[in-house]
């Protein structure tokens, strides 16, 4: 059995408040792409995870979120945790694309079928909450408005399915915690989903402080004829939307010529 783990982007992310539990209250718009990792499973006694794909080396050999998700589901569902999982890793790590969260969410959906629990996504999203702030959104992998830590979710249709999107990462890993910690604490106001095109990513400024190359990525994308350019999540990946697929692939080629070391993917929004 196989399950896709779509990469997540944040079209907007407004920080509202530092909380006492180490997290931040935020308002965000999650969207998902047709690009991502894939997770496969076959039956074997016990629980195991193998990793292959271009970002294998970036996946630590610690307790992967996929295994934590599998154990959490087995516990919640009262089923023995027997599964040999293989993760095909294409999403860069610590990149603002929710890679680890997408993998954990894919594990919940995959094992939900494999272990014949057949729970609705809403119930899987409850299991996902302790696994990380973005994991419940990744369970749904559809456009959502997120509030609280990012796990209070409301579905939303921005009419963006099929929109060409270019993802660009300067191959600098940016850890999430320090970017949030660098926020100046100023609440710049709520996020109106209808006005997402003019909304902000309040993590861009602290991310650029930690990784100045992000500003160069945003400038480069702004010069490609994109209809919309933002940093995703806590960075360093930036995204650009285009009116058509030809514009998107032309932009990818232009960037590859000038910044051969940058990682790029041209795909579409789901
Ligand atoms: O929940 P997750 O492990 O993905 O979060 C990683 C880190 O990002 C947290 O430890 C916290 O520092 C930061 N974070 C935050 N506020 C959020 C989401 C994440 O401060 N709403």
């Amino acid at each position: 059995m196989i399950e896709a783990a779509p990469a997540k982007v944040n079209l907007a992310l407004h920080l509202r408040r530092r909380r006492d539990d180490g997290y931040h209250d935020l308002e965000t718009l999650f969207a998902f792409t047709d690009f991502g990792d894939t997770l496969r499973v076959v039956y074997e006694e016990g629980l195991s995870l193998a990793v292959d794909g271009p970002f294998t080396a970036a996946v630590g050999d610690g307790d992967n979120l996929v295994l934590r998700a599998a154990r959490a589901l087995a516990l919640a569902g009262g089923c023995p945790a027997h599964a040999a999982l293989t993760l095909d890793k294409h999403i860069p790590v610590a990149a603002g694309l929710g890679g680890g969260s997408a993998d954990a969410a894919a594990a919940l959906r995959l094992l939900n079928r494999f272990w014949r629990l057949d729970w609705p996504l809403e119930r899987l999203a409850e299991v996902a909450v302790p696994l990380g702030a973005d994991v419940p959104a990744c369970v749904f992998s559809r456009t959502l408005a997120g509030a609280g830590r990012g796990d209070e979710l409301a579905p939303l249709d921005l009419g963006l399915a099929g929109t060409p999107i270019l993802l660009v990462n300067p191959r600098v890993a940016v850890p999430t915690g320090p970017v949030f910690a660098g926020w100046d604490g100023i609440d710049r106001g709520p996020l109106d989903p209808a006005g997402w095109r003019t909304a902000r990513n309040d993590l861009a400024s602290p991310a650029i402080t930690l990784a100045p190359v992000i500003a160069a990525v945003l400038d480069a994308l702004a010069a490609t004829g994109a209809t919309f350019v933002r940093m995703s999540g806590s960075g360093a990946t930036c995204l650009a939307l285009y009116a058509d697929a030809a514009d998107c692939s032309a932009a990818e080629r232009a960037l590859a010529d000038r910044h051969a070391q940058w990682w790029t993917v041209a795909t579409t929004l789901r």
Side-chain angles (χ1 to χ4, degrees):
M1 258 182 211
I2 187 159
E3 182 72 30
K8 164 227 77 165
V9 293
N10 303 83
L11 297 174
L13 197 161
H14 288 194
L15 288 178
R16 304 304 307 278
R17 193 175 71 91
R18 227 183 274 287
R19 302 167 25 151
D20 296 332
D21 62 0
Y23 279 86
H24 292 75
D25 281 329
L26 52 80
E27 289 161 26
T28 188
L29 283 178
F30 292 108
F32 290 84
T33 75
D34 290 307
F35 159 81
D37 297 338
T38 53
L39 190 64
R40 281 173 287 144
V41 65
V42 294
Y43 183 83
E44 228 171 71
E45 249 175 62
L47 196 58
S48 64
L49 175 65
V51 185
D52 60 28
F55 286 102
T56 303
V59 178
D61 34 58
D63 192 22
N64 191 282
L65 209 48
V66 166
L67 292 175
R68 288 176 48 203
R71 286 196 295 265
L73 186 65
L75 188 67
C79 38
H82 297 313
L85 294 154
T86 304
L87 176 63
D88 196 15
K89 192 73 199 154
H90 291 262
I91 307 176
V93 172
L97 295 174
S101 304
D103 299 341
L108 294 177
R109 290 190 304 268
L110 179 65
L111 296 173
N112 181 47
R113 289 191 283 136
F114 191 64
W115 291 337
R116 302 210 171 99
L117 288 167
D118 297 323
W119 289 356
L121 294 180
E122 287 71 16
R123 193 159 173 198
L124 297 181
E126 286 168 22
V127 178
V129 167
L131 298 170
D134 285 350
V135 186
C138 291
V139 165
F140 295 104
S141 285
R142 53 153 299 166
T143 307
L144 296 159
R149 293 192 321 162
D151 53 10
E152 294 165 20
L153 301 170
L156 187 80
D157 187 2
L158 298 174
L160 292 172
T163 301
I165 179 171
L166 181 61
L167 304 174
V168 179
N169 183 285
R171 294 191 192 269
V172 176
V174 177
T176 306
V179 175
F180 273 95
W183 177 47
D184 61 11
I186 297 170
D187 175 8
R188 291 174 174 79
L191 170 60
D192 169 19
W196 64 274
R197 283 185 179 275
T198 54
R200 317 176 301 269
N201 182 343
D202 289 331
L203 291 174
S205 172
I208 289 168
T209 302
L210 291 176
V213 67
I214 293 169
V217 175
L218 290 169
D219 286 347
L221 283 172
T224 60
T227 59
F228 178 84
V229 174
R230 284 290 178 282
M231 189 184 83
S232 179
S234 55
T237 305
C238 300
L239 64 108
L241 304 183
Y242 295 88
D244 60 62
D247 291 351
C248 187
S249 36
E252 185 181 31
R253 282 193 303 274
L255 284 186
D257 283 347
R258 296 176 55 187
H259 305 280
Q261 74 284 13
W262 290 359
W263 172 92
T264 63
V265 159
T267 180
T268 41
L269 286 173
R270 284 159 60 96

